Amino acid sequence: MAHYFVGDLQGCYREFKLLLDKVAFNPSKDEIWAVGDLVARGPDSLSVLRFFADEANSGRVVLGNHDLHLLSVYGGLKRAKPSDQLQPLLDAPDTGQLIDFIRHQPLVRELPEFNLVMTHAGIPPQWDLATLRHEAAAVSDVLQQDNYLDALISHMYGTDINRWSTELSGLNRLIYCINALTRMRYLHPDGTLDFDCKLPPGDAATHDDLRPWFTFNSKLPQQTQVVFGHWAALMGQTHNCRYQALDTGCCWGEYLTLLHLETDEKLTQQALSPR
């Protein structure tokens, strides 16, 4: 059995399939783990979602910010951007089932035998494993309720909830979890989230006191591996083997990355057409 992890797909279905062919992926014995942002910007978000919805036994997904935004668009709270190329998905006869599939995916997944945790953007350094599990589960509980749009999705936009505190409660606590696990890149020294800077660390040196979240001391067990996506500007480079960054900008014309966990080998597929 092989465990494969793939970076932000964002509708790049053809590149994804080519990578699976390169490793002779066999859903009867292998698993494919996706770091979130299955949809938006690439040309075939519909096929990506259908793949994971159909491969319930071999596919493992966490939610990214674009996946959550799709819930908002589908629910009529936001308009889809033409550049996100979501209309074929929104017009599909099985869209409702695919939206339900998304709502039932978590913000975090674990592979205990490898001491591995996967989220979309990362894990706040202030959180231990118990806190991560608890906070992510609270968001999932609301997403799976019938009133999830009014209870959570309509409130999740904004940058005001940017600092962790055990005093956070209710909706604010849920929003912080979404912001941290699906939007985080840089932190200020006090752990406050920065939502503006998307540059790679070398280019962000002039941005005051910002540091990548994975350079802070973490409360996770020392042996824990963290797999994440979201930050295409990193191009897979964290300079710390504990943190595997897999978003390499396929939807921007760069390439898609697949990690074979057992061998620590990374395979790539160049974007097939300019974006």
Side-chain angles (χ1 to χ4, degrees), residues 8-257:
D8 299 36
L9 289 165
Q10 296 200 248
C12 298
Y13 181 70
R14 288 192 299 159
E15 292 88 344
F16 176 49
K17 289 293 289 181
L18 286 171
L19 275 178
L20 293 183
D21 290 343
K22 285 182 181 180
V23 297
F25 177 76
N26 184 344
S28 67
K29 64 177 183 178
D30 300 329
E31 291 182 358
I32 178 70
W33 292 53
V35 298
D37 276 5
L38 302 180
V39 304
R41 296 201 174 109
D44 201 353
S45 295
L46 176 59
S47 291
V48 171
L49 276 187
R50 283 176 172 168
F51 174 91
F52 282 98
D54 291 342
E55 296 292 346
N57 293 325
S58 62
R60 303 288 184 270
V61 171
V62 293
L63 295 179
N65 53 301
H66 283 284
D67 307 314
L68 292 171
H69 182 65
L70 174 61
L71 299 180
S72 181
V73 171
Y74 179 78
L77 300 174
K78 295 284 185 178
R79 289 187 177 183
K81 297 178 181 178
S83 59
D84 282 341
Q85 304 189 68
L86 289 176
Q87 204 57 48
L89 168 57
L90 296 171
D91 292 340
D94 55 342
T95 302
Q97 296 96 302
L98 295 173
I99 292 296
D100 283 342
F101 167 77
I102 290 174
R103 291 199 298 120
H104 285 79
Q105 302 312 302
L107 292 179
V108 60
R109 286 190 183 271
E110 297 181 61
L111 196 56
E113 59 266 40
F114 287 91
N115 295 311
L116 184 147
V117 179
M118 178 177 76
T119 72
H120 178 59
I123 300 169
Q126 308 95 321
W127 284 7
D128 57 19
L129 273 177
T131 304
L132 172 65
R133 292 165 181 156
H134 181 271
E135 301 304 322
V139 173
S140 293
D141 287 345
V142 179
L143 285 177
Q144 294 172 27
Q145 297 173 10
D146 291 341
N147 67 338
Y148 72 99
L149 291 172
D150 292 334
L152 179 58
I153 298 298
S154 63
H155 303 283
M156 72 177 181
Y157 295 93
T159 59
D160 293 338
I161 313 301
N162 59 9
R163 187 173 181 182
W164 171 248
S165 168
T166 55
E167 301 301 313
L168 286 173
S169 62
L171 185 59
N172 286 346
R173 195 159 179 142
L174 299 174
I175 292 172
Y176 176 82
C177 181
I178 288 174
N179 284 341
L181 299 189
T182 73
R183 299 178 64 190
M184 181 171 61
R185 293 185 181 92
Y186 285 104
L187 301 177
H188 295 276
D190 64 358
T192 301
L193 300 168
D194 174 81
F195 296 102
D196 297 322
C197 187
K198 301 180 182 181
L199 296 170
D203 294 341
T206 59
H207 285 251
D208 299 322
D209 53 2
L210 298 180
R211 287 170 50 196
W213 65 267
F214 50 82
T215 65
F216 285 72
N217 291 329
S218 172
K219 289 189 175 181
L220 298 178
Q222 186 62 40
Q223 70 272 23
T224 303
Q225 299 182 70
V226 180
V227 177
F228 68 101
H230 182 60
W231 197 347
L234 290 177
M235 291 304 290
Q237 301 300 314
T238 65
H239 306 291
N240 186 332
C241 61
R242 182 181 183 186
Y243 299 99
Q244 294 280 4
L246 295 185
D247 184 6
T248 45
C250 187
C251 72
W252 300 110
E254 294 293 341
Y255 54 87
L256 189 65
T257 295

